[in-house]
């Protein structure tokens, strides 16, 4: 063999080895694998550096746009990931990280995920997924039952029927909402006479054929941004995702909704869909779904409920009434990677009528042939992993009772944290928790008193200052890495709809305790007292003083 | 404590435990985890039952639409999955399963996936992904460099720029294609004068404003069905995804394409995008990309290349010329879960111009704020897992050279398998492999001779019979579970475009050997001789005989 051929042969064998020879038990990667199995919490604590590094600094480790010419050792890459990536990742499982919707995972999700990855099924068709197909159909059936609670015979009839689907699994809530509105749009402009339907002829001809000047989707101003994205993608246009005013509790105002619908009707704009929210992303509030269902029916619009967050509340006997009316929805989005506690990448949309998907059905010669049970004929995505296995396992291992406990304790915790905030002299509760989400802000008792009496200009000065301090606290706390709350901007009725920066807390991690929450508040309170923000605090104090003294003088 | 409260407390503690206490090392789940680490091949061989079970039989294990009231033990669920799901899954890693695009995975993907799941980052924003954000941007940069090969300075400028993106990561090629066409559509109808752009006003007003009667996307008739889906979703309409005729080698006919474009122009239909294919799903052929780029420019249409399958061919010095012209594409789809050998759920679209994404950019108050580096502002999906880590590891551990070897040996293997088929007396090669995909069918030498002389009616009779036998062989082989080829339907020029059922073979699994392929052919040949299909074979023989004898008589 020539030298060159020998090298080529050696390279080929090296490639062959990575497909056939397991990592040695004492390799870096195997040790990490075992560490995670033995003690996930320890692994995360040991390897994630709490202190935040500048993004610019981190980017230095990810600069090279070239794929390396020569393979590097697995151990080298493992060490690199450990030093540069794992260390600088976010401790999403930490009980003091209550700013986002990612919680700790149940332990069993880890080995199960490994089985899922090892099997590497593709759920687009039965040929590459076999039993995963009926499994996924069952998971959709279980969640459908949770929402709609049809008779057992109904599920026996439809759950595994090749021409129907109780829902569509997908990578997350955004695709779920998009799929729901896709169905809504296609149902609104079906084939008729010479018109072959919007799915075939497109939106331009559909509107022309049906004599509309446009199409719209309505949702409260607290709707998730994925709906705007969906309106864009579907050709409806972002401006036709109509935000409807909310009441003081961040719930859609049904009168305002009906008025907007009437107005659109007058403008010959078709109301495609009314979207209710079961757990808004920012404040966790639930729209009056029953009323929305009636309005949707009045305007013959598709009624969709975005329950990406709040859906699993239905497991709780105590709290499921908050979602009353969801069973009237034509479609419902639920994210499994939120309150069903699976890893990222598992969402779904459910359809009350299992024939709904027919308007988005598609087929090809080599795949998802007509009459096959292939799931891919009614999903927006093509190739998809077997995440249904993890949802199935969660539903069975945690059970209805287990999810109920998780939901109930989250809501309880939110209520007692709200009480803690109300009693604290530095903070103001902005939104009461209906589910397990609440918002508050830095606003000392004296400032709150001043705001009650302030005129518009003074209130604006004070609120602007509170916004800056709240933002500073949130940022500083995040950078220190001990705990994390997120922030958003709300226009609370109690502050005359002035845009207020608020802390947002999501209490879904069962490991979050009252002590952790109390420490978190104290840390925030301490940050507010720091020298770096003293100037701002003085400005606030002076604005507050001038209001209070002015009032005192007026009273004399 | 009352009995009821005691039970509640016990349930709460049980729930707490699943989040805090690792699976015991000797538990069913831990043992499976270790088995997979030690010997994945053995695990799959031991647990997957080769023989196919009836779908109706499998469904019996997935019937109950109710979430169980009480939690079940992890071990019980693990055993259930092993018996009912794993056993009835598809051995996608098997070297004799060459019918789909899922190959064996490199071993290191397994422990790395576990780390990814354990970290459970959400790539939508830096707040829940930190270093994963620059990592993902680097991965997009590396693939961008593979396709477009810009200067290093160019990548330094744009790769981590918050207002630009070299691409968008997503769950797979379907979303990638959809994202590309979303960009194309929004770029075609930008804001102008009083018009706020299609993204805001929707497609109806866009077409009216720009004076078009419709919008179309053109692709060869071998285009992936995801493009039709995208045309539907985007409001363009499935009928406006225009299939263009191909030449005898399944490559788009540029003259036919230009004619269709001119025709559309005459009908005042806007040509939004021309899509080239780099590796068709069915036959693995590559369109003449350079010519397509010119035509796209001529009609000022977005030029997209669907290289979901063939993209990594660019790693091969020997074969990258086949994709010449791809660097002129405005956007390119590549699937990492295909020829970059990651698990399911990793696709991406790359943009030549990193400002392209501005037309689909979106922001919200609580996330992906303007000017942030959050990846979510330019992706179709919202929450997404850290799959970029697996792609990054593949690119570094396998390296350019490693991928080259994988690509080269796949194409070589396809070529020698094609030779094997040509020499075999029972089979007919239908499409020559350009990459590592080929198609063939059952058609004995004598039948092939008859087809060359047959009139239309006789040819139809023979081809229909061959279709039935080919379908029978494919189905039987799949059911026996020893090996698997897929099937599709093509209209080959050499058979006067008669719809022929063909076997389709994808040679991406490095563990597939010549012996395996040879055995597979013999198994097929054996199935064709079975009693169950004897009637059909006799009918074929008589049709063949009457052609050949007729010819002989005519010759006398």
């Amino acid at each position: 063999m020539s030298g060159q051929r020998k090298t080529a042969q050696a390279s080929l064998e090296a490639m062959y080895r990575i497909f056939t020879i397991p990592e040695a038990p004492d390799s870096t990667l195997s040790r990490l694998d075992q560490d995670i199995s033995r003690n996930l919490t320890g692994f995360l604590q040991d390897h994630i550096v709490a202190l935040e590094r500048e993004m610019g600094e981190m980017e230095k480790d990810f600069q090279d746009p070239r794929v390396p010419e020569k393979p590097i050792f697995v151990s080298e890459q493992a060490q690199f990931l450990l030093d540069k990536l794992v260390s600088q990742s976010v401790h999403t499982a930490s009980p003091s990280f209550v700013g986002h919707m990612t919680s700790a995972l149940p332990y069993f999700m880890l080995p199960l995920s490994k089985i899922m990855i090892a099997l590497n099924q593709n759920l687009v068709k039965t040929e590459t997924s076999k039993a995963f197909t009926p499994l996924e159909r069952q998971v959709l059936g279980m969640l459908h039952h949770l929402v709609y609670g049809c008779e057992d015979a109904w599920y026996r009839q439809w759950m595994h029927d090749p021409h129907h689907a109780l829902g569509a699994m997908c990578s997350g809530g955004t695709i779920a909402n998009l799929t729901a509105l896709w169905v809504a749009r296609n149902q609104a402009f079906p084939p008729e006479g010479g018109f072959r339907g919007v799915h075939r002829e497109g939106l331009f001809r559909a509107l022309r054929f049906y004599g509309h000047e446009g199409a719209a989707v309505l949702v409260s101003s607290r709707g998730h941004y994925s709906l705007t994205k969906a309106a864009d993608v579907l050709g409806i246009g972002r401006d036709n995702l109509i935000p409807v005013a909310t009441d003081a509790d961040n719930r859609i105002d049904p009168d305002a909704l009906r008025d907007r619908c009437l107005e659109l009707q007058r403008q010959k704009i078709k109301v495609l869909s009314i979207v209710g929210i079961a757990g808004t992303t920012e404040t966790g509030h639930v729209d009056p779904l029953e009323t929305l269902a009636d309005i949707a029916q009045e305007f013959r619009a598709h009624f969709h409920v975005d329950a990406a967050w709040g859906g699993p509340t239905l497991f709780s006997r105590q709290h499921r009434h908050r979602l009353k009316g969801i069973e009237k929805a034509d479609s419902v989005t639920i994210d499994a990677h939120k309150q069903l506690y699976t890893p990222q990448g598992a969402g779904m949309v459910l359809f009350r009528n299992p024939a709904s998907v027919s308007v988005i059905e598609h087929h090809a010669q080599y795949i998802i042939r007509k009459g096959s049970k292939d799931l891919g004929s009614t999903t927006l995505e093509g190739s998809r992993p077997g995440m249904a296995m993890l949802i199935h396992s969660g539903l069975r291992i945690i059970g209805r009772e287990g999810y109920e406990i998780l939901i109930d304790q989250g809501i309880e915790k939110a209520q007692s944290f709200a009480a803690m905030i109300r009693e604290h002299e530095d903070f103001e509760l902005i939104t009461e928790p209906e589910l397990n989400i609440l918002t508050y802000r830095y606003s000392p008792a004296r400032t709150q008193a001043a705001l009650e009496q302030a005129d518009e200009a003074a209130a604006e000065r004070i609120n602007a200052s509170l916004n800056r301090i709240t933002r500073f606290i949130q940022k500083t706390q995040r950078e220190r890495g001990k705990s994390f709350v997120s922030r958003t901007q709300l226009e609370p009725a109690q502050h005359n709809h002035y845009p207020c920066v608020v802390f947002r807390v999501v209490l879904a991690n069962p490991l979050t305790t009252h002590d952790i929450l109390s420490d978190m508040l104290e840390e925030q309170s301490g940050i507010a007292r720091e020298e770096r923000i003293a100037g701002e605090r003085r400005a606030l104090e002076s604005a507050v003083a001038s209001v209070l003294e002015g009032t005192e003088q007026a009273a004399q």
Side-chain angles (χ1 to χ4, degrees), chain A:
Chain A
M1 243 193 271
S2 76
Q4 211 181 348
R5 276 196 60 194
K6 251 191 220 157
T7 321
Q9 187 60 29
S11 303
L12 183 62
E13 276 163 21
M15 274 311 104
Y16 190 77
R17 270 201 301 278
I18 63 167
F19 286 88
T20 49
I21 301 179
E23 300 305 314
D26 57 346
S27 70
T28 314
L29 215 43
S30 293
R31 276 188 290 110
L32 294 176
D33 187 332
Q34 290 153 28
D35 283 358
I36 290 173
S37 298
R38 262 198 301 266
N39 182 5
L40 173 63
T41 314
F43 171 84
L44 296 174
Q45 265 160 13
D46 290 353
H47 290 99
I48 299 178
V49 175
L51 207 67
E52 188 163 302
R53 230 175 127 198
E54 273 282 311
M55 184 55 84
E57 276 302 304
M58 285 193 273
E59 283 165 0
K60 287 183 188 157
D61 298 319
F62 305 99
Q63 282 296 7
D64 194 351
R66 287 163 192 272
V67 177
E69 182 65 14
K70 298 277 174 196
I72 70 170
F73 285 114
V74 174
S75 57
E76 188 183 335
Q77 173 72 357
Q79 198 59 52
F80 171 84
L81 293 176
L82 215 51
D83 296 344
K84 306 299 186 185
L85 185 71
V86 177
S87 69
Q88 301 300 325
S89 61
V90 178
H91 194 339
T92 55
S94 164
S96 58
F97 277 48
V98 290
H100 41 60
M101 293 178 151
T102 315
S103 152
L105 296 178
Y107 248 98
F108 63 80
M109 287 293 174
L110 282 163
L112 285 178
S113 298
K114 192 158 168 188
I115 298 176
M116 178 188 86
I117 303 265
L119 293 173
N120 203 26
Q121 306 292 290
N122 180 351
L123 281 269
V124 70
K125 51 179 174 174
T126 58
E127 258 179 20
T128 50
S129 64
K130 278 193 190 167
F132 272 77
T133 291
L135 170 100
E136 182 165 302
R137 284 183 181 268
Q138 184 191 17
V139 168
L140 289 167
M142 287 164 122
L143 273 308
H144 190 283
H145 185 268
L146 177 70
V147 171
Y148 296 106
C150 302
E151 304 286 326
D152 286 1
W154 190 92
Y155 292 97
R156 269 198 302 279
Q157 181 166 9
W158 301 118
M159 202 158 74
H160 295 290
D161 186 277
H163 302 288
H164 292 76
L166 306 196
M169 205 75 92
C170 56
S171 64
T174 296
I175 301 293
N177 282 338
L178 175 56
T179 306
L181 294 181
W182 181 24
V183 166
R185 192 200 65 186
N186 284 10
Q187 278 183 334
F189 308 116
E192 196 183 300
F195 179 66
R196 283 159 293 156
V198 64
H199 66 298
R200 293 189 55 185
E201 296 203 34
L203 202 49
F204 183 68
R205 282 163 186 270
L207 290 173
R208 207 156 58 176
F209 179 82
Y210 281 99
H212 295 293
E213 283 294 307
V217 174
L218 293 96
V219 66
S220 98
S221 52
R222 298 262 73 82
H224 191 257
Y225 72 95
S226 62
L227 296 165
T228 320
K229 226 193 298 190
D232 178 352
V233 171
L234 292 167
I236 297 164
R238 296 183 193 189
D239 292 357
N240 298 312
L241 191 281
I242 314 278
V244 179
T246 53
D247 64 15
D249 285 325
N250 292 288
R251 297 188 190 95
I252 196 167
D253 174 348
D255 293 334
L257 172 65
R258 188 176 280 112
D259 287 349
R260 293 307 298 267
C261 288
L262 288 169
E263 195 186 321
L264 291 164
Q265 243 179 6
R266 275 193 300 272
Q267 297 168 353
K268 295 178 76 178
I269 291 172
K270 168 75 186 164
V271 177
L272 282 185
S273 175
I274 288 172
V275 179
I277 316 170
T280 68
T281 311
E282 290 164 293
T283 67
H285 287 98
V286 182
D287 281 332
L289 303 179
E290 201 133 42
T291 312
L292 291 190
D294 292 342
I295 299 175
Q297 199 174 30
E298 186 182 332
F299 292 92
R300 307 179 87 190
H302 180 103
F303 179 35
H304 175 63
V305 172
D306 182 353
W309 181 254
T313 310
L314 294 167
F315 284 119
S316 162
R317 287 162 301 181
Q318 196 186 336
H319 297 292
R320 71 167 289 148
H321 71 91
R322 298 178 192 271
L323 274 63
K324 200 156 184 294
I326 196 172
E327 71 286 354
K328 294 184 178 170
D330 296 299
S331 55
V332 172
T333 287
I334 294 180
D335 259 343
H337 58 223
K338 296 194 168 93
Q339 296 205 79
L340 295 181
Y341 297 89
T342 75
Q344 286 301 322
M348 75 191 79
V349 54
L350 304 163
F351 295 104
R352 193 182 44 183
N353 179 350
S356 291
V357 290
S358 68
V359 297
I360 60 165
E361 212 174 307
H362 42 269
H363 299 281
Q365 271 306 336
Y366 49 100
I367 193 178
I368 55 174
R369 301 182 187 97
K370 249 190 175 140
S372 78
K373 301 215 170 188
D374 295 344
L375 293 160
S377 60
T378 52
T379 58
L380 178 51
E381 289 162 290
S383 299
R384 284 186 304 109
M387 296 295 287
M389 179 183 127
L390 304 183
I391 309 176
H392 185 266
S393 299
L395 292 173
R396 305 218 323 162
I397 296 174
I398 299 178
R400 202 230 19 106
E401 267 191 3
Y403 280 114
E404 175 174 59
I405 291 168
L406 293 170
I407 290 290
D408 287 355
Q409 57 92 25
I411 295 177
E412 259 168 55
K413 217 179 288 169
Q415 286 164 352
S416 60
F417 187 46
M420 233 186 261
I421 292 164
R422 256 189 244 101
E423 280 156 28
H424 200 291
E425 61 165 6
D426 279 350
F427 300 103
E428 178 194 2
L429 189 69
I430 297 292
T431 57
E432 294 279 347
E434 177 171 10
L435 303 181
N436 48 6
I437 299 177
L438 58 79
T439 64
Y440 64 106
R441 67 169 178 173
Y442 175 77
S443 182
R446 204 170 122 82
T447 310
Q448 293 182 46
L451 276 172
E452 278 173 25
Q453 303 159 27
D455 60 20
E456 202 176 323
E460 184 169 336
R461 209 158 42 238
I462 293 172
N463 277 320
S465 183
L466 293 175
N467 281 357
R468 283 188 290 269
I469 301 177
T470 300
R471 201 181 285 116
F472 173 81
I473 296 172
Q474 190 268 349
K475 238 181 129 240
T476 308
Q477 191 171 34
R478 190 192 71 205
E479 282 162 9
R480 299 203 177 145
K482 235 192 92 203
S483 51
F484 171 71
V485 303
S486 52
R487 70 166 202 270
T488 188
Q489 192 177 287
L490 297 174
E491 290 90 39
Q494 68 267 37
H495 291 299
N496 294 314
H497 303 284
Y498 184 86
C500 295
V501 172
V502 299
F503 305 119
R504 167 174 164 269
V505 163
V506 183
L507 292 161
N509 189 331
L511 309 182
T512 305
T513 61
H514 290 83
D515 286 351
I516 287 172
L517 293 172
S518 163
D519 288 353
M520 211 179 68
L521 271 191
E522 288 320 311
E523 189 190 7
Q524 293 185 324
S525 185
I527 293 171
R529 285 188 175 73
E530 284 182 15
E531 195 45 43
R532 279 197 294 158
I533 195 75
E536 187 62 56
R537 225 173 39 238
R538 273 194 299 275
L540 172 65
E541 272 154 21
S542 111
V544 165
S546 86
V547 169
L548 293 179
E549 281 157 22
T551 321
E552 278 157 25
Q553 279 166 6
Q556 279 167 2

